[in-house]
Amino acid sequence: MSLLTPVILGAILGTAYVISVGANDVANALGTAVGSQALSLKSACVIGAVFELLGATLVGGKTSTALADKFLNVESFTPAQFSYSMMSALFGSCIWNIIATYQSLPVSSTHAIIGSLIAVGIVQDGFVSVGWTEVGETCLSWVLSPAVGMSVSFCTYTALSKFVINTEKSLDRAAAVAPILNAMTVSTVAIFTLIAGPKEIRVEDWWVILLTALISFVLSYLLFRLSILPYMQRKGYLTPSMGDGNQFNFLGGNDPDLDDLSFTAAISFHESTTESPKLLQSDSDVKHMKPAEYYFVLPMVMTAASIAFGHGGNDVGNAIGPFSASLYVNDHGDLRGISSHETPILVTFLGGLGIVLGLILFGNRVMKTVGENITKLTYSKGFAAQYGASVAILACTTLSLPISTTSVLVGSITGVGYVDGGKGVNMTIMKKILWGWIATLPAAGCCAALIYWICKLSGV
């Protein structure tokens, strides 16, 4: 049977899948920034498009290569069977992602593709075709990664709340801390790009990595501290308005250069969705946040970009990994060397384009659930949640662990919600999300198993 057929069908299914990944998982990267009204929906889509594409292109290949044969015993398959199994896995994952997105339910595309791979392995030759050790390790990472995100976010917001937001000199401390937070975010992305990027830019010398991190930290700190922050202060974005010490004139300067950094995301959401979020912050909520909160708007935008970068790098592998494996088999005619093959950078780039397309066309549905309905977010809470998530996501991407960015960010958001005792966490939404996670593996797996079973009956 032709090895080109599953490549062609896999390309079609992979395209549909990366679009569904962008539509569903975009909430991981941008939901908190929009939900806290730090970004409008339009601005979030622009930032998401740029950094999702960069992450997919620069660091997506490592995860996609690891995913291709990690969960299946390749020896159980002929080259044709392996290619068709990859195609079937893409089908099952794609169908489930589309259903979940339609229901505005944030599920994990990572869970979906791995559930599909397990299912086709069982159809092929029973339980011996599945690499259960790798499955167990990955499932463990699904538990640990949201726990790491939750812990980092909880500790970050606790520190900001105690030593910055709720102090007598909160404005001075916020002005001092904000440039450091921006610099931390920039240097974090720089480090992970050098470690997990394509082989053309990958660096193994730790002194080079540390030197790059230091240089990027210093340059970004100086840029924000000496240029951007004074500009925002001069334009009145961080100046209390007359009459109410808690009201800030962030848009007071009406500067066209920063029109997209508006706090009218609530209006944007109501124009683009038909449902009203339960915990949407009103205009009054935004105006009466503590003055120091406004210094965390730009750090929050930076961490949103960082999460988009990490998400593109990790989750693009969910779709292009199986397709890349089929492409390799078609080119080489056998399965030798598949575990060490490097996913072409053009494939990761095209996968990133698909994610961006899904984000722009359908991203608003799930973004609302994660960004607004779990807990009410301030700018400092949003920053803490996103920073904790970005650290966990980028670290696991570097270790070639295909984690769930959905569970990481939901865990991080829940973490900051529990700093104040957990009263603001919407447990109804959390239960709905949890049931969606539980259903993902068997639902996607059953769809994939059915398709591969049909392929087997057809003589594959």
Side-chain angles (χ1 to χ4, degrees), residues 113-403:
I113 192 66
I114 292 177
S116 297
L117 290 172
I118 293 172
V120 298
I122 293 174
V123 171
Q124 171 62 22
D125 198 19
F127 289 92
V128 297
S129 295
V130 180
W132 292 108
T133 301
E134 289 75 12
V135 170
E137 292 174 353
T138 301
C139 290
L140 181 61
S141 75
W142 291 347
V143 176
L144 294 179
S145 56
V148 170
M150 180 183 291
S151 300
V152 174
S153 300
F154 181 90
C155 294
T156 300
Y157 180 64
T158 299
L160 292 176
S161 177
K162 182 176 181 179
F163 299 110
V164 179
I165 302 297
N166 296 316
T167 62
E168 293 182 358
K169 297 182 178 180
S170 59
L171 286 175
D172 292 336
R173 293 190 178 186
V177 167
I180 297 174
L181 300 180
N182 275 282
M184 285 170 53
T185 303
V186 171
S187 61
T188 298
V189 172
I191 290 172
F192 286 113
T193 301
L194 292 180
I195 295 175
K199 58 184 178 182
E200 291 80 7
I201 64 173
R202 197 175 302 158
V203 175
E204 296 183 358
D205 294 327
W206 280 101
W207 69 269
V208 176
I209 296 173
L210 294 176
L211 182 61
T212 302
L214 179 61
I215 293 173
S216 61
F217 181 92
V218 171
L219 291 179
S220 55
Y221 174 84
L222 293 176
L223 176 63
F224 187 80
R225 185 67 183 87
L226 302 179
S227 179
I228 297 176
L229 186 59
Y231 175 83
M232 295 175 69
Q233 292 170 330
R234 187 169 64 252
K235 289 292 185 177
Y237 298 123
L238 302 174
T239 304
S241 53
M242 298 299 292
D244 187 347
N246 287 330
Q247 290 189 1
F248 268 63
N249 215 5
F250 193 87
L251 297 178
N254 196 26
D255 184 12
D257 292 338
L258 293 180
D259 275 348
D260 278 342
L261 288 176
S262 65
F263 296 145
T264 57
I267 298 174
S268 298
F269 262 129
H270 286 303
E271 289 176 348
S272 58
T273 60
T274 57
E275 301 177 57
S276 297
K278 295 179 181 178
L279 293 176
L280 178 65
Q281 296 182 150
S282 66
D283 184 60
S284 176
D285 290 331
V286 174
K287 288 182 178 179
H288 289 86
M289 278 194 288
K290 294 183 178 181
E293 289 282 353
Y294 288 82
Y295 282 87
F296 293 92
V297 172
L298 194 55
M300 191 175 181
V301 173
M302 296 293 290
T303 51
S306 176
I307 289 207
F309 183 87
H311 172 266
N314 196 284
D315 280 34
V316 72
N318 299 335
I320 68 171
F323 169 72
S324 178
S326 296
L327 189 63
Y328 177 89
V329 173
N330 180 69
D331 291 341
H332 293 79
D334 58 43
L335 298 174
R336 287 178 296 181
I338 193 171
S339 61
S340 59
H341 84 284
E342 185 87 6
T343 302
I345 193 170
L346 177 61
V347 176
T348 59
F349 174 77
L350 293 176
L353 282 180
I355 287 179
V356 169
L357 184 60
L359 155 62
I360 294 173
L361 294 179
F362 312 109
N364 61 322
R365 295 184 67 91
V366 177
M367 193 186 298
K368 177 173 66 66
T369 299
V370 171
E372 300 173 8
N373 292 359
I374 296 177
T375 191
K376 186 180 293 185
L377 294 171
T378 63
Y379 306 132
S380 59
K381 280 186 176 181
F383 165 79
Q386 291 184 161
Y387 183 73
S390 66
V391 170
I393 292 167
L394 288 169
C396 289
T397 300
T398 302
L399 296 173
S400 301
L401 293 174
I403 61 165

Side-chain angles (χ1 to χ4, degrees), residues 18-56:
V18 291
I19 290 175
S20 71
V21 168
N24 194 289
D25 285 19
V26 68
N28 305 330
L30 304 172
T32 49
V34 177
S36 67
Q37 303 182 37
L39 285 175
S40 68
L41 189 60
K42 175 183 175 182
S43 303
C45 285
V46 172
I47 290 175
V50 172
F51 286 93
E52 289 273 350
L53 186 57
L54 284 174

Side-chain angles (χ1 to χ4, degrees), residues 4-25:
L4 184 59
T5 301
V7 173
I8 296 174
L9 294 177
I12 297 172
L13 290 169
T15 300
Y17 188 34
V18 291
I19 290 175
S20 71
V21 168
N24 194 289
D25 285 19

